[in-house]
Amino acid sequence: MCLIAFAWQAHPRWRLVLAGNRDEFHARPSAGLARWSGLPIIAGRDLEAGGTWLGVTDAGRCCVVTNVRDPRDPQHGASRGLLATDYLVGADDATAHAQALLATAAGYRPFNLLTFDAQSAFYLGNRPEPRAQAVTPGVHGLSNADFNTPWPKTRALLAQLETWLAAGHDEDFAPLFAALADERQAPDAELPDTGVGLERERQLSSAFIRGGHYGTRACTVVAIGRDDGGVIVERRFGPEGRFLGESRLAIGARAATD
């Protein structure tokens, strides 16, 4: 993932509401949102490294990972996508998982990781050094920098999520998908300097990136209730933002009735 906003314990029905975009090279092979055969994972799948960028389980667990934008970093180590699958299939709750991962986090490529279970949520990262932080109730954002770094597109998505919450929405996710589809670029004065050059900073500053070789490949909304039931919705896109389809899957108790 490259852009995430989420509300943790801030909605009367959903303990977690998360909206995010996955930006990636279009040539990288991946499979759309589905239930994985033989594993308790509901997610899209990176067919190159085998992991995922965002996944959930019927037990109400959720995990999402982003990279860290730093062209000076050599990108050595294990695939960060495996962090998400390891958490989703693991026995540890979010708290125990965070404590254990600190010992091995340095061995992965640069990552930001969010983990959620029925009681707790954590942010974990490994740049410049491994660290873990419990997530407090409220609305938070994450992109390819540190947790809650106020990049323009992160602030914009956070504002839209807060508006959605204030309007009392429940299962009307259209406003969140509209926010994820925003192609407006930030003014130059507001752009971060991550070492990729001004033109690239401009291209990466919009929530939705339209490109022939690299761009937004998935927009996803997750909603998980306090009974562990919920829904995950994924919209997929090809080169130049061509719409490829939408998948909607029930989570937990809802999966047995849908």
Side-chain angles (χ1 to χ4, degrees), residues 174-187:
L176 298 180
F177 278 110
L180 293 172
D182 188 354
E183 297 187 49
R184 292 176 296 175
Q185 295 183 356

Side-chain angles (χ1 to χ4, degrees), residues 5-7 10-12 17 139-140 154-170 172-176 178-179 184:
F6 68 93
H11 187 279
V17 179
V139 179
H140 302 275
T154 311
R155 294 199 312 268
L157 186 57
L158 282 170
Q160 292 299 315
L161 178 55
E162 289 170 342
T163 298
W164 186 88
L165 292 168
H169 289 300
D170 194 327
D172 179 10
F173 302 130
L176 298 180
R184 292 176 296 175

Side-chain angles (χ1 to χ4, degrees), residues 3 149-159 184-192 205-207:
L3 175 63
T149 296
W151 283 3
K153 64 180 180 181
T154 311
R155 294 199 312 268
L157 186 57
L158 282 170
R184 292 176 296 175
Q185 295 183 356
D188 286 356
E190 298 181 16
L191 295 174
S205 70
S206 59

Side-chain angles (χ1 to χ4, degrees), residues 46 91 128 197 219:
D46 175 15
C219 301

Side-chain angles (χ1 to χ4, degrees), residues 7-8 22 34 55 58-59 68 84 88 91 100 144 150-152 158 175 180 189 198 230 246-247:
W8 173 245
R22 179 201 182 210
D58 284 323
V68 178
L88 292 171
N144 303 118
W151 283 3
L158 282 170
L180 293 172
L198 179 58
E246 176 178 315
S247 299

Side-chain angles (χ1 to χ4, degrees), residues 75-162:
Q75 299 286 319
H76 293 158
S79 170
R80 56 188 151 253
L82 299 177
L83 289 164
T85 54
D86 287 348
Y87 172 71
L88 292 171
V89 302
D92 286 347
D93 61 20
T95 301
H97 170 268
Q99 294 169 346
L101 182 57
L102 285 175
T104 60
Y108 290 86
R109 296 172 190 172
F111 72 82
N112 295 309
L113 187 73
L114 293 169
T115 59
F116 305 89
D117 64 20
Q119 288 81 35
S120 303
F122 275 85
Y123 161 77
L124 301 103
N126 69 342
R127 293 296 189 272
E129 68 280 321
R131 62 203 186 281
Q133 173 184 336
V135 175
T136 56
V139 179
H140 302 275
L142 180 64
S143 187
N144 303 118
D146 204 353
F147 187 47
N148 282 325
T149 296
W151 283 3
K153 64 180 180 181
T154 311
R155 294 199 312 268
L157 186 57
L158 282 170
Q160 292 299 315
L161 178 55
E162 289 170 342

Side-chain angles (χ1 to χ4, degrees), residues 211-249:
H213 301 287
Y214 179 91
T216 299
R217 296 193 51 187
C219 301
T220 308
V221 172
V222 175
I224 301 177
R226 290 168 178 80
D227 63 350
D228 296 336
V231 63
I232 178 170
V233 187
E234 177 189 84
R235 294 181 179 176
R236 293 176 295 280
F237 303 88
E240 302 299 344
R242 180 169 55 90
F243 180 66
L244 298 179
E246 176 178 315
S247 299
R248 181 186 182 102
L249 294 177

